[in-house]
Amino acid sequence: MYDVVIIGAGVVGGMIARKMAEYKLKICILEKDSDVAMGATKANSAIVHGGFDAKAGSLKALLNKRGSDMMEDICRELGVRYRRNGSLVLGYSDEDKKTLEGIMENGIKNGIEGLEIIGRERIKELEPNISDSVEWALYASTGAIVCPYGLAEAAIGNAMDNGVELKLNHSVRKIKKLENKFEICVDNEKSILAKTVINAAGIYSDEVAGMAGDTSFDVHPRKGEYILLDREAGDVVSHTLFTVPTKMGKGILVSPTVHGNLILGPTAVDGEDKENRKTEREGFDKIIAESARMVKNIPLNLTITSFCGLRSVGSTGDFIINMPMRGFVNVAGIESPGLSASPAIAEYVVELLENNGFKFAKRDDFNPYRESVEKFSEMTEEEKNQLIKKDPSYGKIVCRCENVTEGEILKAIRTNPKATTLDGVKRRTRAQMGRCQGGFCSPYIMELISKELGIPIEKVKKSSNEAYILSGRTKEDVHNA
Amino acid sequence: MRNVDLVIIGGGPAGMCAAVSAYNAGVENILILERDSHLGGILQQCIHNGFGLHRYKEELTGPEYAFRCEAELRKLPVEVQCNTMVTDISPEKMITAMSSERGIEKIGAKAIILAMGCRERSKGALNIPGTRPSGIFSAGTAQKYVNMMGYMPGKNVVILGSGDIGLIMARRMTLEGARVHAVCEVMPYSGGLARNIQQCLNDFDIPLYLSHTVTEIHGEHRIEGVTISEVDEKMKPIQGTERFIECDTLLLSVGLIPENELSRSAGLNLDSVTKGCFVDQNRETEIEGVFACGNVLHVHDLADFVSEEGEIAGESAALYIRNELKKSMHVPVVTDGKIRYSVPQIVTDNTKNIRLYYRAGAVFSDVKVNVLADGVVVNSVKKKKLVPGEMQYIELKANSVSENTAEIKVCIDKE
Ligand SMILES: Cc1cc2nc3c(=O)[nH]c(=O)nc-3n(C[C@H](O)[C@H](O)[C@H](O)COP(=O)(O)OP(=O)(O)OC[C@H]3O[C@@H](n4cnc5c(N)ncnc54)[C@H](O)[C@@H]3O)c2cc1C
Ligand SMILES: Cc1cc2nc3c(=O)[nH]c(=O)nc-3n(C[C@H](O)[C@H](O)[C@H](O)COP(=O)(O)OP(=O)(O)OC[C@H]3O[C@@H](n4cnc5c(N)ncnc54)[C@H](O)[C@@H]3O)c2cc1C
């Protein structure tokens, strides 16, 4: 039996796992997908929000500020890319200026420092490519960017290094409340017992709550589509640029990413299907039109990919973090700014349990540090040469677009949480993420995965078990045809 | 740090032929850096025939063609370092390279020849709406799986784009036991060679849909089908023409782009049409002593022309090292738009005949291609048919232009 079972290996579940690993607890994370960070955590804007726009007094506002204050240190401990680049909310008229002043006032209520309304000239100094129609901006110096799936992977990897178990391909189907414990039924597996259950199941958190008998809220998906441009376009802007927000969210943004790409999006389309991550032509058109209103001459010909994420919009309008029955904690409706708030959400969950009489004893051997898989790329030439001498696989570049070496790929396959798929390697190392999108290196990476895991190459998948890459040997079907 | 007279980056046909001609022109200290474990470049995976008709007067496969180039090279004391990736070139011709054996090393060169080849465009560049399942490959990646590794990427195939690699793969996949249901081409004509349309599609009854594109990708995990639509003259999908085709594989053959990240790091500007460097008739770039040839300069359809360009670059590099490279003028070569581009883009000496390589921007029949020097026709050739998929050349005869010429123009004239 586990002391704690966390359902969901997104950034929220991951941060909670890492926080709880500080205590003497037997912990397990259950994740339905074949890898961590496959939900909202892998497809979002990657912004550590300043925290000025969440409604003053809400849980979102409280945890956003707290999380964004913690983020830089956490990223340092976990070796995750983070950059405080500052953000600008753009206005095009005097009316927009009033809206910006309103947001600033709200931000001050939230305790956010470094907010300022600036005029066209200052904006132009900060962002030379800004479009001519921009008149005003709210400047937030605390805005930052982070690698969201990198953060989740690192948090979970670090938790695992500290003893937490991760069970992938474990979809929770039923939860039975027994006396002082829960029985969790998982697809095709023996059921799992836990004293405490944390529901961090993202878009499915309402259904997981329902399994335990809590039907007090629901969560619906709101699609957000993106276009990602090559690193060559990464310096078109240096700050994160937003437009004045609407009821549906923060509007389209234009931002550099921590890896130097340029990201455009997201759209905001409400839906019902929790698996619909299709991108649509209308979405692309909207992103292109709105980003053009913000920034001049965006080099769309440098587009390398597009993708879609689903926001978990909760029915209460705020984060839903509560304990509907003793030992069962909901962490639901974690839409934006959930990534920014995630370290604070983890602390809040522990506080919630402690305030309800749970007593956890701290371990004295908790290690908060994790070495990044990407560390090689940040080394000096001398350090690199030393490492190549010790381990020649670091001298072999596999992904030529992003300059990722065999050593880094092997490290991603060997360190917690271990990459087992092409997409898993991609998110951990950036190999296949560049301009050629894996055209050159994916066959080679398949060979590495196959060798390391001891499986035939046809069994290497892109992501899920059904997402096979090779259908068999050549000429197999010639005679049957 | 090492110092070498001539460093050649890339060991495909361009790089190998450049090395041979540079050596024959007197350069003794030559180093080829190749990131792959073997020489040969993209030819290694092109196991079909059709190579070498011009150069060797026979039909070779890609590996055979590469082997001939390599055999000539291996007779000479040219140093070849494989498994070595060049990661940077400075404008001062300092090269940074990385390998397991030697780590990161700096190599100073008197002259450099860029011969890095090209890569395929990816799906991202197209922004096809829909899901993001597995089973979408660039045609070249599929070619690698099939021809080099012996694996099938799938069994029911749709191919987007009718470039040569796509056409070749339509035939290959069929021969290996897959069914190719359609080749879609967004343009009203194919970008591939006429012989490939005949031998790879028509001979196998594979339908080619011109003015069609893929407008949606279906399938959660593995691709399950595509929607294709007809497009109008502006290449916008026409509503009501959508058609679903079931497939487990989508191959993309939507164009090749020269691999010029290194050129850019050296500070070289790129031609917005060819996506390669600007060069003169010696294939010298805007940086003195840096030359470019093969697919890194402009995408070729025939390896024969790649080899020839390699030889020009190799010989020029030798002259440069001996300080004998002649430059007596600086005359830009421009085109009229109907001709999409021509290479070289600059003429710096005209004591010899110069071949101006060009590609048409659309299909033209019964036209004259003219070379004008400040508006005066200095050469003219009749062409029954010009298609974008086939590179052509026209001579600029010796002494056609002088240092007083302002502009050379390659253009199309109706007969
Ligand atoms: C378009 C978009 C833009 C955003 N932009 C930002 C931003 O810029 N800044 C910011 O701070 N926040 C942003 N967010 C919000 C942020 O991405 C989320 O708040 C955060 O990723 C939520 O993490 P999570 O772990 O709760 O959810 P997820 O990452 O979705 O993780 C939930 C996990 O639970 C698993 N699961 C579900 N059901 C089960 C089950 N039955 N059994 C086992 N496992 C299960 C899922 O597979 C999934 O892995 C954005 C979100 C979206 C969608
Ligand atoms: C699929 C396909 C089918 C074809 N079919 C035909 C045909 O039927 N007939 C015909 O005549 N022609 C054909 N061609 C065209 C012809 O083969 C090519 O144009 C020719 O091989 C290009 O030669 P290259 O040397 O310029 O480039 P490549 O052969 O691509 O060689 C470039 C080399 O540079 C290396 N390199 C790149 N970057 C670096 C770096 N940073 N450091 C070190 N090394 C580097 C690469 O590894 C590669 O080996 C075909 C081409 C393709 C792709």
Side-chain angles (χ1 to χ4, degrees), chain A residues 177-319:
Chain A
K177 168 117 188 69
L178 310 172
E179 207 180 330
N180 291 328
K181 62 178 180 241
F182 295 87
E183 183 184 349
I184 303 164
C185 302
V186 181
D187 262 356
N188 311 324
E189 294 276 340
K190 277 212 315 252
S191 56
I192 291 163
L193 296 176
K195 289 187 198 152
T196 305
V197 175
I198 315 256
N199 167 17
I203 195 78
Y204 290 106
S205 50
D206 54 345
E207 290 171 34
V208 169
M211 293 175 201
D214 173 23
T215 53
S216 61
F217 65 92
D218 46 50
V219 171
H220 82 264
R222 181 177 294 158
K223 224 152 91 164
E225 295 145 294
Y226 292 92
I227 295 177
L228 190 75
L229 274 58
D230 188 28
R231 281 189 296 164
E232 214 185 308
D235 52 8
V236 168
V237 300
S238 55
H239 299 75
T240 300
L241 310 183
F242 300 95
T243 36
V244 169
T246 67
K247 217 175 68 202
M248 291 292 279
K250 297 180 180 72
I252 299 285
L253 61 82
V254 176
S255 179
T257 71
V258 280
H259 292 104
N261 298 81
L262 188 73
I263 188 167
L264 313 175
T267 55
V269 188
D270 279 314
E272 275 166 21
D273 183 351
K274 293 182 175 181
E275 291 300 325
N276 179 1
R277 291 187 184 80
K278 276 188 195 168
T279 52
E280 278 166 84
R281 174 69 47 203
E282 297 80 62
F284 294 149
D285 291 346
K286 186 176 159 74
I287 294 169
I288 292 166
E290 292 207 10
S291 54
R293 219 162 79 92
M294 303 162 76
V295 179
K296 278 193 255 187
N297 305 328
I298 296 179
L300 286 167
N301 59 327
L302 296 176
T303 299
I304 54 177
T305 188
S306 54
F307 58 90
C308 174
L310 297 176
R311 303 172 182 86
S312 298
V313 184
S315 49
T316 66
D318 202 352
F319 290 163

Side-chain angles (χ1 to χ4, degrees), chain B residues 235-397:
Chain B
M235 295 206 276
K236 285 262 175 232
I238 302 170
Q239 282 225 341
T241 62
E242 298 86 0
R243 197 143 62 86
F244 178 79
I245 304 182
E246 203 178 295
C247 63
D248 62 17
T249 305
L250 174 64
L251 299 189
L252 304 171
S253 175
V254 290
L256 300 165
I257 314 175
E259 273 284 295
N260 269 304
E261 282 60 40
L262 286 177
S263 322
R264 221 180 278 116
S265 81
L268 287 165
N269 294 307
L270 299 185
D271 183 323
S272 62
V273 182
T274 60
K275 308 271 193 280
C277 296
F278 294 94
V279 292
D280 67 9
Q281 73 286 352
N282 299 317
R283 302 301 184 270
E284 188 175 32
T285 66
E286 293 169 314
I287 300 179
E288 278 194 11
V290 176
F291 301 81
C293 56
N295 278 351
V296 77
L297 183 56
H298 56 130
V299 174
H300 295 63
D301 358 280
L302 295 180
D304 310 65
F305 291 141
V306 169
S307 292
E308 181 186 301
E309 195 163 76
E311 284 165 357
I312 298 175
E315 202 180 314
S316 309
L319 291 172
Y320 170 82
I321 290 170
R322 289 206 303 273
N323 219 349
E324 288 170 11
L325 205 54
K326 253 194 265 165
K327 275 182 224 170
S328 51
M329 55 181 77
H330 189 97
V331 187
V333 184
V334 300
T335 58
D336 62 352
K338 290 181 194 156
I339 301 284
R340 221 160 63 81
Y341 73 80
S342 84
V343 171
Q345 295 95 334
I346 305 146
V347 167
T348 56
D349 186 77
N350 189 206
T351 43
K352 287 189 194 147
N353 289 356
I354 297 168
R355 281 183 180 180
L356 303 174
Y357 288 91
Y358 65 89
R359 256 179 218 279
V363 179
F364 296 96
S365 313
D366 298 318
V367 288
K368 264 195 310 202
V369 176
N370 291 337
V371 183
L372 312 181
D374 288 342
V376 179
V377 178
V378 292
N379 194 4
S380 181
V381 177
K382 283 185 190 168
K383 289 279 172 189
K384 265 206 104 41
K385 194 150 194 189
L386 280 181
V387 294
E390 292 179 26
M391 195 172 77
Q392 306 278 339
Y393 66 84
I394 182 165
E395 299 267 352
L396 176 69
K397 302 227 170 76

Side-chain angles (χ1 to χ4, degrees), chain A residues 6-15 29-49 64 71 144 146 148 152 167 169-174 184-186 199-205 207-208 211 222-226 240 242 250 253 265-268 275 277 307-312 319 331-342 345:
Chain A
I6 298 164
I7 303 172
V11 72
V12 169
M15 279 294 172
I29 310 173
L30 299 179
E31 168 55 53
K32 71 174 168 59
D33 279 335
S34 59
D35 197 2
V36 304
M38 300 269 278
T41 299
K42 80 164 180 205
N44 57 67
S45 310
I47 313 299
V48 182
H49 289 292
N64 184 350
M71 196 62 86
V146 71
K167 291 184 192 285
N169 301 308
H170 276 60
S171 183
V172 173
R173 297 293 177 185
K174 259 191 245 158
I184 303 164
C185 302
V186 181
N199 167 17
I203 195 78
Y204 290 106
S205 50
E207 290 171 34
V208 169
M211 293 175 201
R222 181 177 294 158
K223 224 152 91 164
E225 295 145 294
Y226 292 92
T240 300
F242 300 95
K250 297 180 180 72
L253 61 82
T267 55
E275 291 300 325
R277 291 187 184 80
F307 58 90
C308 174
L310 297 176
R311 303 172 182 86
S312 298
F319 290 163
V331 190
I334 310 296
E335 55 177 322
S336 188
L339 169 66
S340 322
S342 58
I345 292 175

Side-chain angles (χ1 to χ4, degrees), chain B residues 62-112:
Chain B
E64 284 170 338
Y65 187 100
F67 183 76
R68 294 221 180 168
C69 298
E70 187 174 345
E72 282 174 58
L73 174 73
R74 295 288 188 186
K75 284 188 221 142
L76 310 175
V78 168
E79 190 184 347
V80 176
Q81 195 179 312
C82 287
N83 296 311
T84 305
M85 166 112 174
V86 175
T87 55
D88 190 62
I89 310 172
S90 79
E92 297 73 36
K93 299 196 269 290
M94 180 63 73
I95 290 162
T96 310
M98 185 159 149
S99 63
S100 291
E101 243 166 68
R102 308 174 70 111
I104 299 168
E105 68 174 328
K106 301 271 185 203
I107 304 164
K110 287 187 192 153
I112 297 176

Side-chain angles (χ1 to χ4, degrees), chain A residues 442-459:
Chain A
S442 51
Y444 193 71
I445 297 172
M446 305 243 311
E447 282 176 350
L448 290 178
I449 295 176
S450 144
K451 233 189 273 163
E452 281 292 306
L453 303 186
I455 55 173
I457 196 162
E458 309 96 285
K459 294 272 182 282

